[in-house]
Each structure stands twice: as C-alpha cells, then as structure tokens.
C-alpha cells in the first residue's frame, strides 16, 4: 500500500483514483535527473500535474520528459517542463503510462486514445515501465474490463485487415471513427486504428502468440497489447488507497 498527498475533494471518485495512482507512482519512481517517458490519456494528465508541481517547487531537478503523443507534448510544454524527443534521448530511465485494462499477469491493453505505437516505442526505450490506473482497469483476464484491442494500421491496408483479422483470430473488427460519419480517426503517425473485438470465451488464449502473428501481418504498424514489459502497476481505489502490484 502506498500513501500520497494528492487528495482533491473537487474531483469525482474516478478522477480522484486516477490522480492518486499517478501521484503515488511518480513520487516513488521519478527521481532527479530522470529521463522520463510520459504516456498518454486522462490518467497521465495527473502525472503531468505532479511533475509540474514537483519541478516548479524544486523538488525534482534536471528531469527531461519524452512525450508519447502530440497532446501529451502540449501538456508538458504548457506545464513548463523540459520536453524533448527520442532523437535527443534514445535511452530513457522510466516510462509511466495509463492503460485500458491490466490482467493478472500485468498484460495491458492500451491504445484507447490511439497513441499505442508511440507508447510502445517509448516504453521499449525505457529501462522501467510503470502503469497508472484506476481500479476499473484491474482485471483477471483480458476482456473482463475492456472490449477490444486497438491496432494501428497503414490506411492502404485497412480494408483487407478489417476482413483478415477476424478471419484469422475470430471476433469482429471495425475502423475507429473520429466523429460518426466523418471518417476514421488519423493517428499522430497518419495511420488508422482498427478496434478488434476479440471473443471473450476463449480459454487460455496465448496473447504472445496473437501479438507475434499480428505484428508479422503486412500493414499492421503496432498493437495495443503490452506483454511482459510492466515492472509494476499502481491501481487506485475509491477508498483512497493505492496498491502497487
Ligand atoms: C492511449 C492509452 C491510454 O493510456 C489509455 O487509453 C488509458 O487512458 P485513460 O487514462 O484516459 O483511461 O493507451 O493510447
């Protein structure tokens, strides 16, 4: 159990949980001089809040933040935090990111915000990877909490992949819409996202095998499956407690 100083009674319980998780993880794992990968999503917004407070108060010095998305980059710059990229910092100490679901083996589904490719690249450049999440993301088996695996694809390959992914792996697949009837969302990399709704009742599915097969499929840039890379998960609960697993 971790204790933090991040209570904010103006927040809804779920937002409060996101903030608790972000603050607890950052307090423990972000250190002076840290080259830090900063993930994407609403939970990460609280990580940026923590970093801003710690950096402006002088509690944290000499950090550099490497964002995983266009939006995170704007948050970091607006917060006055030193911000750079993988060209200047190809090796990072720590990466902290949110997740859409985390199972009992710490396998994560990510990409609800469509930033999964950069998130995986920044995670892979980091010595340590920590996930911050509210309790609704805590599951025993992938699919208990979240319905699909986001997959970033080249636009040129989207239509064949919408057919071949369900044909090979079951379930259904659809192109993620920006706004209904206005066309697909376009990622920071100029690609599309296919949301693959997998069948939930498959016993002992080998996600590593699925990942390898998907990653070897022409036109697939990256999947939102993060397997075997998580050092710890910080889950926050409505009673204000945070568990580091
Ligand atoms: C974006 C992500 C996010 O980390 C994930 O969707 C969780 O977001 P949130 O903190 O808003 O629930 O993978 O691509």
């Amino acid at each position: 159990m971790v204790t933090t100083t991040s209570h904010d009674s103006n927040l809804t319980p779920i937002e409060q949980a996101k903030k608790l998780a972000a603050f607890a993880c950052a307090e423990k794992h972000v250190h002076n001089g840290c080259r830090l990968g900063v993930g994407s999503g609403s939970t990460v917004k609280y990580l940026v809040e923590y970093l801003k407070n710690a950096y402006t108060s002088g509690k944290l010095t000499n950090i550099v933040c490497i964002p995983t998305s266009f939006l995170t980059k704007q948050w970091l710059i607006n917060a006055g935090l030193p911000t750079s990229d993988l060209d200047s910092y190809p090796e990072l100490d720590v990466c902290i990111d949110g997740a859409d679901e985390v199972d009992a083996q710490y396998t994560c589904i990510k990409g609800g915000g469509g930033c999964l490719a950069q998130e995986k690249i920044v995670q892979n450049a980091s010595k340590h990877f920590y996930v911050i999440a509210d309790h609704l993301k805590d599951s025993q088996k992938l699919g208990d909490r979240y319905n699909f695996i986001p997959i970033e694809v080249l636009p040129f390959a989207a239509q064949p992949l919408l057919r071949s992914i369900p044909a090979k792996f079951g379930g259904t697949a659809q192109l993620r819409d920006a706004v209904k009837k206005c066309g697909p969302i376009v990622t920071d990399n100029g690609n599309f996202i296919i949301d693959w709704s997998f069948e939930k009742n498959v016993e002992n599915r080998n996600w590593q095998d699925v990942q390898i097969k998907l990653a070897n499929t022409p036109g697939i840039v990256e999947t939102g499956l993060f397997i075997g890379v998580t050092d710890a998960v910080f889950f926050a609960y409505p009673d204000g407690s945070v568990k580091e697993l």
Side-chain angles (χ1 to χ4, degrees), residues 48-91:
V48 175
E49 182 184 327
Y50 174 93
L51 295 171
K52 180 182 177 182
N53 295 344
Y55 186 71
T56 50
S57 70
K59 183 177 166 186
L60 265 182
T61 56
N62 291 325
I63 58 165
V64 61
C65 300
I66 313 301
T68 57
S69 61
F70 179 83
L71 188 58
T72 299
K73 185 175 169 186
Q74 300 310 309
W75 290 345
L76 292 167
I77 290 169
N78 291 341
L81 289 158
T83 303
S84 189
D85 56 33
L86 291 177
D87 291 340
S88 300
Y89 293 90
E91 292 179 347

Side-chain angles (χ1 to χ4, degrees), residues 3-17:
T3 53
T4 75
T5 52
S6 63
H7 185 75
D8 183 344
S9 52
N10 292 324
L11 295 176
T12 62
I14 202 72
E15 291 301 311
Q16 177 62 27

Side-chain angles (χ1 to χ4, degrees), residues 18 40-44 97-100 110-116 119 137:
K18 291 178 189 183
S40 301
S42 58
T43 314
V44 164
D97 204 344
D100 300 300
K110 289 183 48 53
C115 319
L116 57 105
E119 289 170 343
K137 277 73 176 278

